[in-house]
Amino acid sequence: MSLLVVGLSHRSAPVSVLERASLAADTQAKLLQDTLAAEPATEAAVLATCNRIELYADVDKFHAGVAELSTLLAQHSGVGLEELTPYLYVHYEDRAVHHLFSVACGLDSMVVGEGQILGQIKDALARGQELHTAGRLLNDLFQQALRVGKRAHSETGIDRAGQSLVTFGLQQLAAGADPECWARGKRALVIGAGSMSSLAAATLARTGCAEVVVANRTRSRADRLVEILQQGDDTAVRARAVEMSAVGDELTRADVVVSCTGSTGLVLTADALADALGVTLDAAPEAPAVTAVAPAPDDVDQHAAWVENGSIASAAHAGPVTAPRRVTVPAQSTGPVRLALLDLAMPRDIDGAAHRIAGVRLVDIESLAEASADAPMAADVDRVRTIVSDEVAAFGAAQRAAHVAPTVVALRTMAADVVAGEIARLDGRLPDLDEKQRAEITQTVRRVVDKLLHAPTVRVKQLASEPGGAGYADALRELFDLDPQTVAAVSRADLNDPNRGRS
């Protein structure tokens, strides 16, 4: 079996496509179940964030796996396969491991170095464990990715290369001013109480907002977030929770709104925003759109899958991406800002037409993507890349060594059975042996067998961990005439260990 990932992200697809392809929680669960039901896959995990959708699987056939995973992504995202395919990337085996480890370190994030991705990877693993779609390979892979990400943040200054998406978004709202000075004394409305909204609320509280109001469809979660905000030692913010039905009234009092919900439709329409500000949307001046050329990301190895005669034909290394991507960004209305809007949801929570309303400044995922293209890169990024490369090599060695482990266990089990059989035969021939003599003979025979097996089993694990070492397990089975069913039984027992892959 082999690791395969098929996905799309802000690096490969425009925000409009990512927005349409976003997966709700129940859709992710159905995608995982359908992937496992597909012939090429035995394990599956989904990593879905505001700027990426990736499907990981352990497959037995590469081309069939690419075709099946691509088709499943299209079916569950609602974006047609022919339209989705040009934006998909494919990574296989070590390249797939390298990709996830880079993602975990924040190297592939919209804002390089942000740490929120670790929580999202942890959630993806938990979902796969809960639905029993993540087996040995994906448990090991995602657990290792979390360790690699934590190592990168603790051993390097990758955090200095960028900020969280929330912090970066607030910087864009501040439009060049110091975010803390800009936010001080403002009244903020946070819509949603998930991980991103919670981070936004905490960030606003730390920057000196006078009040943070939290609105959420489940009131208890909003209440809990408010309780956490009020318990913070480093903030003195006033915080309160409201029902979603009160959002309209709160808009009339808010200076800053941050929205990140799981809604599939708009949470704030342009009409609702215009009403809150007491202006007429139709009379608001519409600023002309600005076409910008977004620089392509550096050093990105993209594997492209394409459609041929209506089906996925192949996946090949396409080399570095060099072509710039042209995007159209609506210009913001001019004049003083009465209401600053930060939309971190995918699909979007806030109507894009809000930019037409006088006194409104809107920053969303698309504008953040454009702004982050010019964000400075820290020297620590090179160090993180080295860590990722080292960890990929270590993961590959561990997986190859794990592949031979069931064979070694089966060999030692067979040897133990042989010893037990010979001791039983000895009991028949020498029935007068006392317990002490019998125990000494048994221990001696076991020591002989252990010493004979020690060197070859240790050596075969070392050889199997090296590139191209997968054949040593097969050789060991042939040399000792081991029953393949016994080896498979050892593998299943290890896979079903309830303590495996959990932290």
Side-chain angles (χ1 to χ4, degrees):
M1 305 302 288
S2 302
L3 178 65
L4 174 68
V5 56
V6 178
L8 66 160
S9 74
H10 65 282
R11 290 188 180 274
S12 68
V15 172
S16 58
V17 173
L18 282 172
E19 188 175 40
R20 291 169 53 210
S22 62
L23 303 175
D26 55 344
T27 306
Q28 293 178 39
K30 186 65 166 61
L31 172 59
L32 288 174
Q33 293 163 350
D34 288 352
T35 302
L36 230 60
E39 182 179 344
T42 59
E43 299 182 35
V46 172
L47 178 59
T49 73
C50 61
N51 53 34
R52 77 176 62 251
I53 303 166
E54 296 177 344
L55 179 57
Y56 291 77
D58 188 7
V59 300
D60 58 2
K61 298 175 182 177
F62 171 72
H63 293 289
V66 171
E68 189 66 38
L69 266 60
S70 302
T71 300
L72 287 168
L73 277 175
Q75 288 176 349
H76 289 80
S77 68
V79 180
L81 180 61
E82 186 172 352
E83 180 183 359
L84 189 65
T85 295
Y87 304 112
L88 294 177
Y89 48 76
V90 175
H91 297 298
Y92 189 60
E93 291 286 46
D94 284 353
R95 289 295 306 173
V97 177
H98 189 281
H99 174 73
L100 181 59
F101 288 3
S102 297
V103 169
C105 293
L107 292 180
D108 198 58
S109 295
M110 186 179 294
V111 181
V112 174
E114 58 92 12
Q116 293 162 237
I117 187 64
L118 286 175
Q120 294 160 335
I121 290 175
K122 187 175 182 180
D123 291 343
L125 174 59
R127 187 181 304 109
Q129 291 173 336
E130 180 182 354
L131 297 173
H132 305 290
T133 63
R136 173 189 296 164
L137 176 61
L138 293 184
N139 267 288
D140 288 350
L141 175 68
F142 276 69
Q143 290 281 1
Q144 184 79 354
L146 291 171
R147 289 191 289 270
V148 174
K150 292 174 183 176
R151 181 187 169 193
H153 284 280
S154 64
E155 295 183 12
T156 75
I158 188 66
D159 294 327
R160 295 191 299 267
Q163 309 85 19
S164 74
L165 206 57
V166 172
T167 306
F168 192 63
L170 292 178
Q171 286 185 348
Q172 299 307 303
L173 284 180
D178 177 67
E180 291 195 12
C181 295
W182 173 82
R184 189 170 297 124
K186 283 184 168 58
R187 290 166 296 186
L189 171 63
V190 176
I191 304 176
S195 58
M196 186 75 78
S197 297
S198 298
L199 179 60
T203 303
L204 288 166
R206 284 197 305 271
T207 54
C209 279
E211 182 181 47
V212 175
V213 179
V214 180
N216 192 57
R217 296 188 190 281
T218 305
R219 176 60 183 267
S220 60
R221 295 190 66 184
D223 289 333
R224 176 57 181 155
L225 177 52
V226 166
E227 182 182 346
I228 293 172
L229 292 175
Q230 292 175 331
Q231 291 173 349
D233 295 332
D234 57 344
T235 66
V237 67
R238 296 194 306 273
R240 56 188 175 90
V242 299
E243 303 286 349
M244 284 293 289
S245 57
V247 165
D249 291 335
E250 294 299 332
L251 283 174
T252 64
R253 293 185 284 270
D255 302 303
V256 185
V257 177
V258 179
S259 187
C260 187
T261 72
S263 175
T264 56
L266 293 176
V267 175
L268 294 179
T269 64
D271 287 333
L273 291 165
D275 288 343
L277 293 175
V279 300
T280 303
L281 179 61
D282 293 338
E286 181 172 356
V290 177
T291 301
V293 178
D298 294 330
D299 194 27
V300 179
D301 292 318
Q302 184 180 23
H303 292 249
W306 60 89
V307 174
E308 182 175 280
N309 297 325
S311 63
I312 297 292
S314 179
H317 190 295
V321 177
T322 56
R325 177 168 58 89
R326 298 187 70 84
V327 296
T328 301
V329 182
Q332 297 289 334
S333 60
T334 58
V337 176
R338 295 173 55 193
L339 184 61
L341 306 172
L342 177 57
D343 186 356
L344 298 175
M346 184 66 71
R348 71 187 69 201
D349 279 348
I350 302 176
D351 193 342
H355 77 275
R356 295 165 45 197
I357 304 172
V360 169
R361 178 171 178 77
L362 171 63
V363 171
D364 56 16
I365 292 294
E366 190 163 13
S367 56
L368 285 176
E370 296 306 316
S372 67
D374 297 323
M377 298 285 284
D380 296 271
V381 168
D382 289 336
R383 170 60 180 149
V384 173
R385 286 175 174 157
T386 300
I387 289 175
V388 168
S389 296
D390 292 344
E391 292 284 357
V392 169
F395 181 82
Q399 289 298 305
R400 288 188 292 269
H403 178 70
V404 78
T407 303
V408 171
V409 172
L411 173 60
R412 289 192 173 276
T413 300
M414 183 190 74
D417 291 343
V418 170
V419 169
E422 291 302 316
I423 294 300
R425 182 181 300 179
L426 183 64
D427 286 342
R429 291 181 177 180
L430 301 174
D432 296 331
L433 286 176
D434 59 34
E435 286 300 319
K436 183 177 181 181
Q437 291 170 328
R438 186 178 182 279
E440 185 62 35
I441 293 173
T442 300
Q443 186 62 27
T444 298
V445 175
R446 286 175 176 168
R447 279 199 299 265
V448 170
V449 171
D450 286 343
K451 288 183 178 180
L452 287 174
L453 291 181
H454 177 73
T457 54
V458 169
R459 185 60 179 149
V460 77
K461 288 180 180 179
Q462 293 173 339
L463 292 171
S465 67
E466 298 174 359
Y472 286 102
D474 296 333
L476 203 62
R477 286 194 294 270
E478 288 293 329
L479 288 172
F480 288 92
D481 194 26
L482 297 175
D483 183 359
Q485 296 300 321
T486 302
V487 177
V490 173
S491 299
R492 287 194 298 272
D494 183 45
L495 182 58
N496 293 328
D497 182 353
N499 295 318
R500 180 182 179 87
R502 295 187 181 269
S503 58

